[in-house]
Amino acid sequence: MPKKKSGGRPARKAGREGPVVGRIVSEARDVEEKIAKGKKPALRFPVRSLQNVSYESQKGFFEIRGRTKERTLTVNTVKTFAQTLRMMALSKELVETDDIATKREAYYVSKNWGDARFAEQPESDTVIEDVEALFRVNREQLGFVPEEKGGDVAGELVVIDRDTETGQELKIDCRKFGSGAYSIPISVEHLGFETRARFILVIETAGMFQRLVKHNYWKKASCILVSMGGVPTRACRRFIRRLADSKKLPVYVFVDGDPYGITNIYRTLKVGSGNAAHLNEYFCVPQARFLGITPQDIVDYKLPTHPLKDVDIKRAKDALKNDPFILHHKPWQRAIQQLVQMGVRAEQQALAKHGLNYVIDEYLPQKIGHPERFLP
Amino acid sequence: MPKKKSGGRPARKAGREGPVVGRIVSEARDVEEKIAKGKKPALRFPVRSLQNVSYESQKGFFEIRGRTKERTLTVNTVKTFAQTLRMMALSKELVETDDIATKREAYYVSKNWGDARFAEQPESDTVIEDVEALFRVNREQLGFVPEEKGGDVAGELVVIDRDTETGQELKIDCRKFGSGAYSIPISVEHLGFETRARFILVIETAGMFQRLVKHNYWKKASCILVSMGGVPTRACRRFIRRLADSKKLPVYVFVDGDPYGITNIYRTLKVGSGNAAHLNEYFCVPQARFLGITPQDIVDYKLPTHPLKDVDIKRAKDALKNDPFILHHKPWQRAIQQLVQMGVRAEQQALAKHGLNYVIDEYLPQKIGHPERFLP
């Protein structure tokens, strides 16, 4: 095979170039013109911290406020400034050639940037996040993708993708994976969807997902099953969001009944996280509702429990005190207080006490009959 | 929906009942007859520890030796004895109804066993492993499945599964998932395969997998890509093993060039692990060969490196001293010694220094042209 660097690959019609390349070029031109006029060039980034964030339930996500910081080219900032411009150039190349780079790969690519190379990956990650915030787009739109995979899907859904080489449309029928599933790719911006499902059921554990797949639960309930495998990755959140938006589907979330399931997994899925607030607009699922396991389920379904650990109690108390999402929703405050008072937690799989398929035959049908009772 | 416990579901023709149910019944009958005669019933298990294990490269896996322990019904063992019989009964029910239970679910099911219920999950896990060893079959054949999902697949492969309800054959074409992938189910015993691939390429990281998928590497190289996402799960190892056996395919493994990649990820994939020796026969991939990153690759490809951490050095020295697999293979001893001497490690993605797609255009073709040079 001929020796080619990524830049040497022919550009493919990906429909992804859109406005990003234009904005990179325009920002770079400003810098160039300032320099040509003998002035100091500057780049302006939004401040990325919880102090520069607000929450409104109509918007549905932690939103970044107006505060910005400026990076002016000086003797002290020259290296970071050069690295930022280099990273913008890499992004432009990625988008133009329809290629991708993980944050890790971007770090290694910099090893050929001479004095502008990064010594450690956290430095290059910060610059990628700066560029992301600068253009107010998500990293995937700049061609940078996460290391981690997305999550699994089965059920009443056809995903529309394309062959990257031929551009040919591919229809991926998630009803026809048998006991397997469709694995969400790292970047999902280009996917289309066809579905007649009534809702999306998002599940915490791979074990519970496998049970529902094995028994074709999605067929009975006419739904799409998504397995998060713990705290959902960006790709998984973005996939659910794009699917729910484009097909106007409600999203029901089925996780363990413990502070981690509520304040980490569910909260992150629904409104995003605090330390990536410039991205939550893309990576939140505001239509998500909490099906269970609720603290009241533990009582109603007489579930076997485990005592709350110290870390659970700390997490719950922190959320009651500091989490803007919990502070916004009274029903959540009551539910978390109830959990702390009971002093126990229960897992999704605790329903197996009543028989392995009680979850399919009783619990889920009872719950899904009354979405108005779901926690917000 | 009518109230049904898992036992109430109609048995489906799964071809899985095979000899397992018969052997459970026969073992249970022995116990019953002993009791009827007024004798003490006993169950005999192989001892599961590294001291009861041997390694021969022709066999290719850590094999359990002949030592056994006997569990006789006495006042002291009555609870464990009852739990073992109960677990055998649950397994029989699972196999007969073609259902599955995670180890976690099995633990919760026991909450309805009265005095035979388990207090903590490690207790029920041990009993499941005892039953597994008793019948010398893997847990999946008893209907018990792991919590964790399997791994991702893309490329020159059609997986044959069936609809669990209708029994209808499903052909899952792994060439047609675009940027997505086929997610390996938790249990893979029932899958069939069609392929014209030349080899299976097994990859450590989701990021590298995504790059090879994105650029249709599998088409150029006519291969099947499998992403392990770190240390491979049982389902992932079993999937590769069954695929490689049934289609007589070589297996090339592409992981980070560090002691963890070699002695944890690769070694576990190839010969299994020490603490589950009664299972390695099913969960090893003896045909696996180590493509890279080798210590010599770090030199030959001038890769950017990180210094070995203390834990890396400890892991390497432990392997040189105690690991029967490494002790068996001189080339591995030399390679690990070389790594320790250089004092550095290199990741798969370090190849990005030479351009993002250097791995596709140069590294992999050069390597795969000479499988005879691969480490064993």
Side-chain angles (χ1 to χ4, degrees), chain A residues 1-6 9 12 16 94 98-102 104-105 107-109 111-112 147-149 152 161-165 170 172 176-183 185-186 190 206-207 210-211 214-216 219-220 304 306 347 349-350 352-358 360-362 365, chain B residues 1-6 9 12 16 94 98-102 104-105 107-109 111-112 147-149 152 161-165 170 172 176-183 185-186 190 206-207 210-211 214-216 219-220 304 306 347 349-350 352-358 360-362 365:
Chain A
M1 269 187 220
K3 182 148 184 147
K4 281 192 290 184
K5 302 246 165 151
S6 65
R9 301 194 153 243
R12 297 184 189 108
R16 222 182 63 191
L94 291 173
D98 188 25
D99 206 342
I100 48 172
T102 63
R104 196 93 189 124
E105 287 177 323
Y107 160 71
Y108 282 119
V109 165
K111 294 293 183 188
N112 262 332
E147 297 292 326
E148 44 187 11
K149 70 167 297 285
D152 288 349
D161 200 344
R162 58 185 166 75
D163 186 302
T164 35
E165 269 184 333
L170 295 167
I172 301 150
K176 304 221 169 128
F177 279 94
S179 52
Y182 169 68
S183 176
I186 280 175
H190 60 291
Q210 189 77 46
R211 169 161 303 285
K214 171 107 186 162
H215 292 287
N216 282 338
K219 216 183 263 185
K220 302 178 188 85
H306 293 81
E347 296 171 346
Q349 283 155 318
K353 179 194 162 195
H354 303 299
L356 285 168
N357 288 308
Y358 184 84
I360 292 177
D361 299 332
E362 298 287 328
Chain B
M1 269 186 220
K3 182 148 184 147
K4 280 192 290 183
K5 304 246 165 151
S6 65
R9 301 194 153 244
R12 297 185 189 107
R16 222 182 63 191
L94 290 172
D98 188 25
D99 206 342
I100 48 173
T102 63
R104 195 92 188 125
E105 288 177 322
Y107 161 71
Y108 282 120
V109 165
K111 294 294 183 187
N112 261 333
E147 296 292 326
E148 44 187 10
K149 68 168 300 284
D152 287 349
D161 200 343
R162 59 186 166 74
D163 186 302
T164 35
E165 269 184 333
L170 295 168
I172 300 150
K176 304 219 170 129
F177 291 135
S179 52
Y182 169 68
S183 175
I186 281 175
H190 60 291
Q210 189 76 48
R211 168 161 304 284
K214 171 109 187 161
H215 292 287
N216 282 339
K219 216 183 263 184
K220 302 179 187 85
H306 293 82
E347 296 171 347
Q349 282 156 319
K353 179 193 162 194
H354 303 299
L356 284 167
N357 288 308
Y358 184 84
I360 293 177
D361 299 332
E362 298 288 328

Side-chain angles (χ1 to χ4, degrees), chain A residues 84-184:
Chain A
T84 309
L85 292 175
R86 276 283 206 173
M87 199 60 90
M88 284 162 56
L90 176 59
S91 169
K92 177 168 171 288
E93 180 188 315
L94 291 173
V95 177
E96 283 177 343
T97 58
D98 188 25
D99 206 342
I100 48 172
T102 63
K103 292 201 291 184
R104 196 93 189 124
E105 287 177 323
Y107 160 71
Y108 282 119
V109 165
S110 86
K111 294 293 183 188
N112 262 332
W113 291 355
D115 287 341
R117 73 178 168 276
F118 295 101
E120 299 287 344
Q121 197 194 332
E123 296 172 22
S124 60
D125 288 355
T126 304
V127 169
I128 289 174
E129 282 159 27
D130 281 345
V131 174
E132 208 174 14
L134 177 67
F135 294 109
R136 305 251 176 159
V137 295
N138 61 57
R139 199 189 299 157
E140 286 76 0
Q141 291 175 293
L142 296 169
F144 299 112
V145 298
E147 297 292 326
E148 44 187 11
K149 70 167 297 285
D152 288 349
V153 182
E156 202 52 69
L157 175 69
V158 173
V159 176
I160 302 165
D161 200 344
R162 58 185 166 75
D163 186 302
T164 35
E165 269 184 333
T166 63
Q168 192 202 336
E169 186 177 271
L170 295 167
K171 291 200 170 191
I172 301 150
D173 191 339
C174 299
R175 294 167 299 198
K176 304 221 169 128
F177 279 94
S179 52
Y182 169 68
S183 176
I184 299 172

Side-chain angles (χ1 to χ4, degrees), chain B residues 90-367:
Chain B
L90 175 59
S91 168
K92 178 168 171 286
E93 180 189 315
L94 290 172
V95 177
E96 283 177 343
T97 59
D98 188 25
D99 206 342
I100 48 173
T102 63
K103 292 201 292 183
R104 195 92 188 125
E105 288 177 322
Y107 161 71
Y108 282 120
V109 165
S110 86
K111 294 294 183 187
N112 261 333
W113 291 355
D115 288 341
R117 73 178 170 277
F118 295 101
E120 299 288 345
Q121 197 194 332
E123 296 172 22
S124 59
D125 287 355
T126 304
V127 169
I128 289 174
E129 281 159 27
D130 281 347
V131 174
E132 208 174 14
L134 177 67
F135 294 109
R136 306 253 176 157
V137 294
N138 61 58
R139 199 189 298 158
E140 286 76 1
Q141 290 174 291
L142 296 169
F144 299 112
V145 297
E147 296 292 326
E148 44 187 10
K149 68 168 300 284
D152 287 349
V153 182
E156 201 52 68
L157 175 68
V158 174
V159 177
I160 301 165
D161 200 343
R162 59 186 166 74
D163 186 302
T164 35
E165 269 184 333
T166 63
Q168 192 202 335
E169 185 178 271
L170 295 168
K171 290 200 170 191
I172 300 150
D173 190 339
C174 299
R175 295 166 299 199
K176 304 219 170 129
F177 291 135
S179 52
Y182 169 68
S183 175
I184 299 172
I186 281 175
S187 177
V188 303
E189 298 299 330
H190 60 291
L191 300 179
F193 307 105
E194 287 173 3
T195 182
R196 288 181 300 178
R198 289 166 47 226
F199 59 92
I200 305 170
L201 183 64
V202 183
I203 300 148
E204 176 173 341
T205 62
M208 179 57 76
F209 176 77
Q210 189 76 48
R211 168 161 304 284
L212 301 186
V213 169
K214 171 109 187 161
H215 292 287
N216 282 339
Y217 172 73
W218 55 268
K219 216 183 263 184
K220 302 179 187 85
S222 184
C223 70
I224 300 161
L225 304 173
V226 180
S227 167
M228 296 185 284
V231 176
T233 60
R234 292 163 57 113
C236 185
R237 286 145 64 193
R238 184 74 182 139
F239 180 90
I240 297 167
R241 168 67 179 280
R242 291 196 65 243
L243 174 59
D245 275 3
S246 69
K247 296 297 161 187
K248 308 259 177 300
L249 291 173
V251 176
Y252 303 149
V253 184
F254 182 24
V255 299
D256 287 346
D258 60 25
Y260 190 78
I262 296 166
T263 67
N264 290 50
I265 297 179
Y266 176 71
R267 205 284 316 267
T268 301
L269 178 72
K270 177 152 179 157
V271 299
S273 60
N275 59 8
H278 60 297
L279 297 172
N280 290 332
E281 184 174 349
Y282 306 103
F283 293 104
C284 65
V285 183
Q287 53 272 73
R289 307 267 300 168
F290 191 89
L291 179 149
I293 305 285
T294 65
Q296 190 58 38
D297 285 345
I298 298 176
V299 182
D300 294 346
Y301 291 90
K302 300 185 177 60
L303 297 181
T305 58
H306 293 82
L308 287 180
K309 290 181 220 152
D310 289 347
V311 60
D312 291 322
I313 295 167
K314 185 177 176 307
R315 202 187 301 276
K317 293 198 167 159
D318 274 0
L320 287 170
K321 205 169 146 195
N322 299 318
D323 189 318
F325 173 72
I326 303 295
L327 292 175
H328 186 89
H329 292 290
K330 276 266 179 311
W332 268 123
Q333 292 164 38
R334 283 194 295 267
I336 292 176
Q337 274 154 357
Q338 182 184 6
L339 202 63
V340 173
Q341 265 162 19
M342 301 195 312
V344 294
R345 60 192 174 85
E347 296 171 347
Q348 305 189 281
Q349 282 156 319
L351 291 159
K353 179 193 162 194
H354 303 299
L356 284 167
N357 288 308
Y358 184 84
V359 60
I360 293 177
D361 299 332
E362 298 288 328
Y363 180 77
L364 286 174
Q366 284 167 17
K367 282 274 165 170

